[in-house]
Amino acid sequence: MAYKHGIYSSEQATSLVPMTETDGGLITCFGTAPLHLASKPAAPNTPVLCYGYDEAVAALGYSDDWEKYTLCEMIKVHFALFNMAPIVFVNVLGGKEKHKAKVDDKAVEVADGVAVISDPVLADTLIVKLASDGEALIPDTDYTAAFDDAGNMVVTAIDGGAITEGATPLYMSYTMLVPENAEPDDIIGGINISTNRAEGIETIEEVFPRFGLVPGINIAPGWSHHPGVAAALKAKNHNICGHFNSISICDMPTDSVKSYSEAVEWKNKNNFADKDCILCWPLLTLGGKKYHLSAQLASVLNYTDSQHGDIPYYSPSNKSLQADGACLEDGTEIFLNNTQAAYLNGQGIVTALNFVGGWKAWGNRTTIYPANTDVKDNMISNRRMFNWVGATLITSFWSKIDEPTNKRLIETIVDSANIWLNGLTAMGALLGGRVEFREDENTTTDLMDGKLYFHVYMTPPAAARDIEFVQEYDPEYISTLFA
């Protein structure tokens, strides 16, 4: 060390750690997309983070045929109906050979210099010829090819090109998407043994490494009514990237579950009890279009969080949906009274109720209720708060991993976390919370091995699900007649 003579200064790290901001409501939506309509198509089975409608359409395409292209429903719901962002989409369509089909030399009639193909054509595979055994025509010289608003491929002859007046038919060769071949197993996914890459729901493990955002809500509208897909969503709720917990929102099949009593039977039969899962019945309608309740409920959670500092301590129940009705798959209208809706809620099912103030989401319980009476697990707002607090603590103190296990480290973590929890308490997001480093939970051998246990106590406020007014006739007020 150099010899010093004088006054010097130095710095050390601040003893309090600023808490990171984690979004407890980041939606990851799995499904199928019309990639042939995308201007900048994302690769199948790749998480895509979108902050706007245009960005989502550019990466995934858009079609009103939501039965074939299920991600389009969530694009509409999240950006157009609720004006929320961001969201992560994972499209599985096109990831396997069965999702595509080759068409060779299809004869397409020409009218007024225009030929129309209704198939979902992958534009970069299109070959146009004047005869089946002829030479390929030159795009942008002999013809232009573009999609119309209905998703049809429109081939238009260019003046002076090879397509002369009266030339018909044209012979088209191309590869097309076959969305009908997408199956629940494609959504479930797994690890592709030939590429060693994740597919389907398994790609949720890539969301945090790719974007630095913790998944909070996992959905697959149009698919989650399949028990296998729901089981995969529920399984991936836990231990994401080995550290994080999220929730999933699933639907029931309204083509077979046609009454509220059948909904309870279906839930029990399909073993839906899970602390991190929300189960919905029936569908919603708006302007003659059917919507999955899971899709709207996910956006309702995002909107509700955004009104309260992006902290998930408010329940989605009794919050407005973008709906003018509820229905089954065949369009049969569903109108539940409050007693019927409460029965579903008491069985751990969220529904839609039109009682006071229009159509509202109705229900506070996760699917583990009534089998599990622990309010930490069976109340939606409590469950989300525990997931969110856990994620925030992990990301905030990750920088402290591998630092020396000394008094300063322990005090920094305890003091920083307690200041943060006190702030949450002051704003009403918690009734109280604290972090302790307890001697009885930290054995000598664990501390020697670098293992530290911090005990987090917290009490999120319960949703006020039952408010009662007791009325009584008071004869004492008869005396006011003589006042």
Side-chain angles (χ1 to χ4, degrees), residues 202-241:
E202 190 66 28
T203 60
I204 198 170
E205 297 286 346
E206 299 180 6
V207 173
F208 186 76
R210 282 178 180 270
F211 310 121
L213 300 174
V214 179
I217 302 170
N218 310 318
I219 60 173
W223 296 98
S224 61
H225 61 278
H226 294 280
V229 173
L233 285 172
K234 289 186 292 182
K236 294 308 295 184
N237 286 337
H238 315 303
N239 213 31
I240 298 173
C241 296

Side-chain angles (χ1 to χ4, degrees), residues 105-128:
D105 296 328
K106 181 177 182 178
V108 182
E109 296 298 323
V110 180
D112 297 326
V114 175
V116 179
I117 311 171
S118 59
D119 294 333
V121 178
L122 295 171
D124 58 354
T125 68
L126 178 65
I127 297 173
V128 180

Side-chain angles (χ1 to χ4, degrees), residues 14-245:
T14 305
S15 58
L16 293 177
V17 176
M19 304 301 288
T20 59
E21 294 184 9
T22 56
D23 190 344
L26 178 68
I27 299 168
T28 305
C29 184
F30 302 90
T32 52
L35 283 185
H36 61 294
L37 300 177
S39 59
K40 300 177 181 178
N45 292 301
T46 301
V48 179
L49 179 65
C50 298
Y51 279 86
Y53 193 100
D54 292 345
E55 188 179 2
V57 172
L60 302 166
Y62 181 83
S63 169
D64 282 324
D65 191 346
W66 294 350
E67 289 190 12
K68 292 181 180 178
Y69 307 111
T70 59
L71 290 182
C72 296
E73 177 184 355
M74 198 58 197
I75 293 175
K76 178 71 173 291
V77 168
H78 204 59
F79 294 122
L81 299 188
F82 286 90
N83 194 29
M84 297 306 302
I87 184 173
V88 174
F89 292 103
V90 179
N91 165 56
V92 305
L93 186 61
K96 296 180 179 178
E97 285 303 314
K98 67 178 182 178
H99 299 159
K100 302 175 184 177
K102 291 193 69 176
V103 177
D104 294 320
D105 296 328
K106 181 177 182 178
V108 182
E109 296 298 323
V110 180
D112 297 326
V114 175
V116 179
I117 311 171
S118 59
D119 294 333
V121 178
L122 295 171
D124 58 354
T125 68
L126 178 65
I127 297 173
V128 180
K129 295 185 289 186
L130 291 174
S132 59
D133 58 352
E135 296 291 326
L137 300 182
I138 302 172
D140 297 324
T141 297
D142 297 319
Y143 68 91
T144 60
F147 292 100
D148 62 15
D149 291 341
N152 300 315
M153 171 64 77
V154 179
V155 175
T156 305
I158 295 177
D159 290 342
I163 305 175
T164 59
E165 185 176 353
T168 187
L170 295 176
Y171 292 85
M172 313 281 195
S173 298
Y174 50 86
T175 299
M176 59 180 280
L177 289 176
V178 188
E180 295 85 356
N181 286 350
E183 299 175 314
D185 283 348
D186 298 320
I187 303 295
I188 295 168
I191 301 297
N192 187 314
I193 58 174
S194 62
T195 63
N196 201 34
R197 290 293 306 275
E199 295 180 346
I201 292 171
E202 190 66 28
T203 60
I204 198 170
E205 297 286 346
E206 299 180 6
V207 173
F208 186 76
R210 282 178 180 270
F211 310 121
L213 300 174
V214 179
I217 302 170
N218 310 318
I219 60 173
W223 296 98
S224 61
H225 61 278
H226 294 280
V229 173
L233 285 172
K234 289 186 292 182
K236 294 308 295 184
N237 286 337
H238 315 303
N239 213 31
I240 298 173
C241 296
H243 297 280
F244 306 117
N245 266 22

Side-chain angles (χ1 to χ4, degrees), residues 319-479:
K319 305 300 186 294
S320 294
L321 299 164
Q322 294 290 350
D324 55 21
C327 71
L328 303 176
E329 181 63 33
D330 62 7
T332 302
E333 287 187 302
I334 296 293
F335 284 97
L336 299 177
N337 60 42
N338 192 45
T339 302
Q340 295 166 332
Y343 173 67
L344 286 174
N345 297 165
Q347 298 299 315
I349 299 170
V350 173
T351 189
L353 182 66
N354 184 23
F355 198 66
V356 175
W359 285 93
K360 304 288 183 71
W362 200 252
N364 292 299
R365 302 294 189 180
T366 66
T367 61
I368 207 164
Y369 190 82
N372 184 331
T373 57
D374 188 339
V375 293
K376 171 182 71 70
D377 295 331
N378 67 33
M379 191 166 284
I380 294 171
S381 54
N382 287 352
R383 187 63 255 149
R384 295 186 69 221
M385 279 297 288
F386 269 81
N387 290 348
W388 177 74
V389 168
T392 304
L393 292 171
I394 289 167
T395 54
S396 297
F397 295 112
W398 190 263
S399 62
K400 298 303 179 184
I401 289 292
D402 297 330
E403 289 199 359
T405 302
N406 54 27
K407 196 76 171 177
R408 179 179 177 82
L409 173 66
I410 295 167
E411 290 177 348
T412 296
I413 293 175
V414 170
D415 291 346
S416 301
N418 278 327
I419 290 173
W420 175 63
L421 291 173
N422 289 341
L424 293 178
T425 302
M427 69 181 297
L430 293 176
L431 300 182
R434 69 186 188 280
V435 175
E436 296 180 359
F437 184 75
R438 297 167 56 109
E439 187 173 354
D440 61 331
E441 294 179 351
N442 289 272
T443 65
T444 299
T445 53
D446 280 343
L447 293 173
M448 290 172 61
D449 198 33
K451 296 173 66 175
L452 291 78
Y453 295 89
F454 294 87
H455 201 125
V456 182
Y457 298 87
M458 55 182 282
T459 306
R465 69 176 182 87
D466 184 6
I467 300 174
E468 301 190 20
F469 295 93
V470 179
Q471 300 180 84
E472 180 180 348
Y473 184 92
D474 189 347
E476 292 294 324
Y477 288 113
I478 293 294
S479 62

